[in-house]
Amino acid sequence: MEANVKQLWSTILATIALDVSKVNFDTWFKDTFIVKYEDGTLSIGVPNEFAKEWLGKKFHTTILKAVRDELESVRSVEYVVVRAEKRAKHKDDFIIKDQAPDELPLSDYYINKNDNLNPRYTFDTFIVGKFNEVAYTAAQAVIREPGIIYNPLFIYGDTGRGKTHLIQAIGNELKNRGMGRKLYYVTSERFAMDYITSVQNRSVSTFKDKYRQYDVIIMDDIQFFAKKEGSQEELFHLFNYLYDNNRHIIFSSDKHDNLEERLKSRFSAGMTVSIDEPDLESRVQILRYKAEKTGLEVTDDVLEFLAESIQGNIRDLEGSLNTLSVQTQLKKRPLTLLDVKQIVRTSDKPKKAVSVKTIIKKIADYYDIQEESIYEKTRKREVVKPRQIIMYLLREDYHISYPMIGDKLGGRDHTTVMHSCDKIKNEIVHDQTLREELEEIRAILK
């Protein structure tokens, strides 16, 4: 069967329009079109990197479903940035042929499940400046002689300064060099949860074997271990085993002084280095790189204004560009410096801190249930769903640990919290109503 691509995409867009809000459709879908269809993969043209990332993260499942409703042979969808000068050519009609149907790949495209490394974290996309050049140099030394130099490597610094990017880039570079080493990236919280579960299941030996098989262990956010003696004890034994067998250990933390003395003593055998607050020149460099990557047209005076206005956190810098990208698409023109100043002035209004109790109350009110019922041991559906959403938002939006969430919601076990968070994560993939409810709740909480 042959299909006219332009007509096909119009039909698919009509289906998508029924599942997303008008604002989202006008912002993200109106400038899209089919570029090609080859080997079961449908390539969709988008105007910039930001649109590519946003569609891939927020609307991928919706797009896949709508595509397969019209063309069952599509196995996957990818998003391709097509610059303005080439768009007219690609929008011309052309003919494609269906290919053999196959399973629809709905799994995570980004995280490698064998080593937990995110392939997007590479040194090619890591900006080096005065604030992080020592940490970067240490990372390069580890790559040259893993297991020997700077073992362990301990990198610390405030949130949002690129620690996770750097330590995962080390892992990806080692993997790409094909040295035959087994690598594994894990957050300290996941390590602790694995340990607690192994104790509960009487399978500690299996837990030990799992983590001792790797040649390189990369552990993120080890400040989570503060005051967790059992987890620190297990980390100490794992550290000794790996170190004695010339395996490399890489850590990151917000701080460097909240662990047991014997662990800090072990760290001193390697390299401890901080990532400082980005200086003005580095902030401009980061903004310029991110803008070019996403195809956002901004002038130097806008970049300098943002760099002067936003200090200390790379995530905030990226967030500011995301905001400008959305506003540029809504206004359908490049933003002036005056536009940007107004946007920053509006977004800089003080944000009121929200307590866990307030979050629980507002979500209970939203679903019209008694606040007290959230804490009760009830399995009524009208209570279970709001409770699971509370757990999900506390974890995803406020980064509260699983045990702490369980404690705040009536003393529930951390495994219950993990199950609830996973359940909501899975449901929002195909439940449009739930996605809309979450957007409304987040707006209320702001």
Side-chain angles (χ1 to χ4, degrees):
M1 167 188 142
E2 293 188 339
N4 180 283
V5 173
K6 192 171 184 179
Q7 181 180 352
L8 172 66
W9 189 237
S10 295
T11 303
I12 292 170
L13 287 178
T15 301
I16 293 172
L18 298 175
D19 289 331
V20 303
S21 69
K22 186 177 186 304
V23 172
N24 277 328
F25 185 82
D26 290 345
T27 303
W28 304 112
F29 291 93
K30 279 198 169 180
D31 289 330
T32 59
F33 56 94
I34 294 176
V35 174
K36 66 177 179 178
Y37 178 41
E38 187 176 349
D39 296 330
T41 297
L42 189 70
S43 300
I44 299 173
V46 298
N48 53 56
E49 286 286 348
F50 185 61
K52 174 182 176 180
E53 183 174 356
W54 194 262
L55 289 174
K57 282 186 175 181
K58 301 294 184 181
F59 299 106
H60 188 69
T61 303
T62 300
I63 294 170
L64 273 171
K65 183 179 182 301
V67 167
R68 290 211 61 184
D69 284 346
E70 300 298 324
L71 200 61
E72 292 183 0
S73 59
V74 173
R75 293 188 321 222
S76 61
V77 171
E78 66 176 11
Y79 309 96
V80 181
V81 177
V82 181
R83 302 303 178 191
E85 61 272 14
K86 297 183 180 179
R87 295 177 70 78
K89 171 187 174 183
H90 282 291
K91 283 188 176 181
D92 290 341
D93 289 1
F94 58 95
I95 301 297
I96 58 176
K97 294 184 178 181
D98 289 355
Q99 299 179 16
D102 205 339
E103 289 295 320
L104 186 63
L106 292 175
S107 60
D108 191 345
Y109 287 99
Y110 299 115
I111 307 301
N112 185 310
K113 294 180 180 178
N114 293 322
D115 54 35
N116 273 347
L117 290 169
N118 188 326
R120 291 179 295 173
Y121 288 136
T122 67
F123 286 111
D124 290 338
T125 57
F126 187 79
I127 305 298
V128 182
K130 293 179 181 178
F131 72 106
N132 63 7
E133 60 185 355
V134 176
Y136 172 82
T137 301
Q140 294 300 313
V142 168
I143 291 169
R144 289 193 298 272
E145 298 184 83
I148 300 173
I149 192 168
Y150 297 155
N151 190 19
L153 176 61
F154 181 34
I155 297 172
Y156 69 95
D158 286 347
T159 299
R161 293 186 179 175
K163 299 186 300 296
T164 296
H165 188 150
L166 179 59
I167 62 177
Q168 288 215 38
I170 296 173
N172 279 314
E173 183 65 23
L174 288 172
K175 183 170 68 173
N176 292 337
R177 291 192 177 194
M179 297 179 175
R181 289 182 169 84
K182 294 187 69 173
L183 307 99
Y184 194 67
Y185 166 85
V186 64
T187 65
S188 60
E189 186 171 6
R190 169 53 61 185
F191 179 86
M193 293 301 102
D194 284 352
Y195 171 65
I196 293 170
T197 301
S198 73
V199 172
Q200 293 172 341
N201 296 337
R202 298 181 179 179
S203 58
V204 175
S205 60
T206 302
F207 165 83
K208 291 178 182 291
D209 290 341
K210 171 186 175 179
Y211 283 96
R212 291 181 177 184
Q213 66 176 302
Y214 298 108
D215 300 300
V216 181
I217 285 282
I218 303 170
M219 191 173 293
D220 213 348
D221 294 327
I222 64 170
Q223 71 273 0
F224 177 79
F225 286 141
K227 300 181 181 179
K228 292 178 173 59
E229 295 181 1
S231 297
Q232 289 200 43
E233 179 76 20
E234 197 56 43
L235 176 61
F236 181 73
H237 293 311
L238 173 64
F239 182 103
N240 286 338
Y241 176 86
L242 295 174
Y243 184 83
D244 291 343
N245 286 275
N246 294 323
R247 317 285 181 83
H248 214 107
I249 312 108
I250 301 168
F251 294 114
S252 85
S253 176
D254 287 354
K255 302 176 181 178
H256 74 293
D257 57 357
N258 58 348
L259 297 172
E260 287 184 0
E261 286 300 324
R262 60 177 177 168
L263 273 174
K264 288 193 288 185
S265 175
R266 288 304 243 161
F267 293 163
S268 66
M271 177 70 164
T272 299
V273 59
S274 68
I275 296 182
D276 302 320
E277 178 180 309
D279 55 282
L280 178 61
E281 182 181 348
S282 295
R283 294 199 297 274
V284 171
Q285 185 182 359
I286 291 168
L287 287 167
R288 180 172 288 110
Y289 171 80
K290 298 292 183 182
E292 290 175 354
K293 182 182 177 184
T294 58
L296 179 63
E297 295 182 27
V298 286
T299 58
D300 287 343
D301 57 349
V302 167
L303 293 178
E304 290 170 5
F305 171 76
L306 288 177
E308 291 172 353
S309 304
I310 303 169
Q311 301 180 17
N313 193 316
I314 295 174
R315 291 176 191 167
D316 290 342
L317 293 172
E318 293 175 337
S320 69
L321 284 181
N322 291 345
T323 300
L324 297 192
S325 182
V326 171
Q327 291 295 325
T328 298
Q329 294 189 44
L330 291 175
K331 293 179 181 294
K332 300 186 183 302
R333 62 170 174 79
L335 300 179
T336 65
L337 179 58
L338 186 61
D339 291 329
V340 175
K341 286 182 177 180
Q342 180 59 41
I343 292 169
V344 171
R345 189 179 304 118
T346 302
S347 62
D348 275 349
K349 291 179 179 179
K351 296 178 176 64
K352 183 179 178 181
V354 182
S355 68
V356 173
K357 184 172 178 58
T358 299
I359 292 171
I360 294 172
K361 183 180 186 307
K362 287 183 178 292
I363 295 179
D365 291 344
Y366 179 85
Y367 286 103
D368 195 24
I369 61 174
Q370 294 294 318
E371 182 183 345
E372 294 75 17
S373 65
I374 297 293
Y375 303 95
E376 296 172 356
K377 306 291 185 181
T378 176
R379 298 300 301 166
K380 293 181 180 179
R381 176 168 175 76
E382 62 267 25
V383 176
V384 170
K385 178 183 175 182
R387 183 193 296 139
Q388 290 177 334
I389 287 175
I390 290 169
M391 293 177 177
Y392 172 79
L393 290 175
L394 288 177
R395 178 62 184 165
E396 291 296 312
D397 293 15
Y398 299 91
H399 310 296
I400 299 176
S401 69
Y402 293 119
M404 180 65 74
I405 294 172
D407 183 61
K408 294 290 186 182
L409 274 77
R412 286 173 165 78
D413 187 80
H414 74 275
T415 55
T416 301
V417 181
M418 292 173 68
H419 169 75
S420 297
C421 292
D422 289 342
K423 188 173 189 298
I424 297 298
K425 275 184 181 179
N426 292 332
E427 287 184 356
I428 59 179
V429 170
H430 54 76
D431 191 334
Q432 174 69 17
T433 300
L434 178 58
R435 292 198 296 271
E436 291 176 354
E437 288 177 4
L438 286 171
E439 287 182 12
E440 291 174 0
I441 290 169
R442 283 174 165 135
I444 291 170
L445 294 176
K446 287 182 180 178

